[in-house]
Amino acid sequence: VFYGVVTEGPFQTEGEVQAANAIDGDESTPFQLNGTAPGDFKYRDLDGDGRITGDDRQIIGSPVPDFTYGINANFRYGAIDMSLQFFGVQGNEVLNLARSIRESSGRSFNKSVTVVNAWNGPGTSNTVPRPIVTDPNQNVRVGTHLVEDGSFLRLRQLQIGYNFPETLLSRIGITQARAFLAGQNLLTFTKYSGNDPEIGFDGNNTAANGID
């Protein structure tokens, strides 16, 4: 499972910040600057102590799908044949950690185009936090805003072939010949916002499953 805080979108006003008393209680973190402000993420205070600490984390998703499925089909019409293979996964989540780097300004990396729509005033954004280098609220922490639907259906293999007629081949001493075009992963149907919903699925490292 994925374990993290419950994100409730950015604070919109200073009054919301004061009402939530959203100060991280983990004194060991280098980001402990007590500078939470409008535009920072609001996290659910599960234990009700007025602070956001490690005790406010819970299970927020799972990379384990409800089921996987596949579709294989072969067609032939005259001298033309086609084979295709679909593969699908349903009911799993992907933890898109790449977004915590690309959409927050507390780290010196290239950013996603989504930061153009970052919070810059009340009502301007409910998904991307304010730009701030020091990140006192730790908007990069693992939370529900990074958990996405990882279900997908992918055209994994497609091959189209042409079988040359025997009457033509016999003239040059060949009994059988076929030309074909093949492609892999040509189409993917998914709601996942990252590059590949299948990322992180590593049979040799189950701890990495579903983590982008």
Side-chain angles (χ1 to χ4, degrees), residues 49-181:
D49 67 352
R51 301 183 303 173
I52 303 301
T53 69
D55 294 332
D56 294 306
R57 294 174 296 169
Q58 66 178 26
I59 294 173
I60 57 176
S62 171
V64 181
D66 295 332
F67 60 89
T68 61
Y69 59 98
I71 303 171
N72 297 296
N74 296 280
F75 305 94
R76 182 161 185 168
Y77 181 78
I80 299 175
D81 63 78
M82 181 176 69
S83 63
L84 52 84
Q85 179 189 77
F86 282 96
F87 174 71
V89 175
Q90 186 66 36
N92 63 299
E93 283 90 32
V94 175
L95 182 61
N96 192 347
L97 289 181
R99 282 181 51 206
S100 71
I101 297 175
R102 296 172 184 163
E103 292 185 353
S104 63
S105 55
R107 300 183 183 183
S108 301
F109 298 106
N110 196 16
K111 302 302 173 183
S112 168
V113 69
T114 55
V115 300
V116 173
N117 299 316
W119 189 95
N120 64 359
T124 55
S125 176
N126 287 315
T127 56
V128 183
R130 64 173 176 148
I132 180 171
V133 174
T134 55
D135 191 19
N137 189 60
Q138 297 185 52
N139 294 317
V140 298
R141 77 182 81 197
V142 175
T144 52
H145 65 290
L146 300 176
V147 178
E148 300 185 32
D149 183 0
S151 303
F152 68 90
L153 174 63
R154 169 167 284 168
L155 178 56
R156 178 156 285 178
Q157 292 184 354
L158 173 65
Q159 186 176 113
I160 300 175
Y162 175 76
N163 297 275
F164 291 95
E166 295 181 3
T167 54
L168 176 62
L169 297 175
S170 62
R171 299 175 185 177
I172 54 177
I174 298 176
T175 57
Q176 188 177 25
R178 177 176 176 269
F180 67 89
L181 292 173

